[in-house]
Amino acid sequence: MVTRDISTAFVVLVAALTVCLAGDGDAGRVASAANATIRGRVELRQPTGDPGSRVSVADLGMGAMHAPTDRRSVVYLDPAPRAAFDTREEPRPRLDQRNETFVPHVLAIVAGTTVDFPNSDRTYHNVFSLSKTKSFDLGRYAVGRSKSVRFDRPGIVRVFCDIHSHMSAFIFVFAHRYFSVADPDGSYRLENVPPGTYNVVAWHEAAALESRRVVVPETGGEVEVNFALGRR
């Protein structure tokens, strides 16, 4: 009788341990599937043997005086994971008109975002685009006024001023949030990327598009992806 009770208790104990170990294993597997950060730097290379920028007729005119200084790269995932498609609230961005330049020169947003175009110059501007992604013409408006445009479709929108031909900007419209406008030194970060295999794409207006295949491990952490883009 005692032997049978001990045997029964042993079987129950083994079963309990098996359940606990299985549970711990499941928890470990869930915990190990952590999101990661893809980070790196985008470098814009000078062509081999390039003696430096040559002075052109345009450099001597009005356009060179107002040339944008923030010609930054854009890095993004293509395609993006499903987790990217949500309805999170986005801050309302601005593409300012200042010193006869668009600030910032490169803007990245999520589809459905409305962008404000304030005029901070003491001159009239006329902001427009003929891009297939979004075409618009805001007409002329003076300092202190602002107009807005909603961007519903993913794609690249080139923006110009009808009055000042040297003014231009790029608006990147994404269907997801896995994108980054690089810092002035070229560094970028793509946060909260789920485990998986992705194409990381780097864009710069003066270079050809480049992509890198990257694997984000189940353990998360950081994955470094650097680019060296050749000038066109």
Side-chain angles (χ1 to χ4, degrees), residues 63-64 74 91-92 106 122 125 129 147 152 162 168 181 194 196 210-211 216 222 229:
V74 178
R92 187 149 162 165
V106 178
R122 294 188 177 278
H125 287 296
S129 177
K147 297 190 178 183
D152 296 310
D162 189 57
S168 68
V181 178
E210 286 196 17
S211 65
V216 174
E222 290 192 344
L229 306 181

Side-chain angles (χ1 to χ4, degrees), residues 206-226:
L209 206 66
E210 286 196 17
S211 65
R212 300 275 189 278
R213 195 77 165 167
V214 63
V215 177
V216 174
E218 294 285 329
T219 53
E222 290 192 344
V223 179
E224 184 173 354
V225 183
N226 296 312

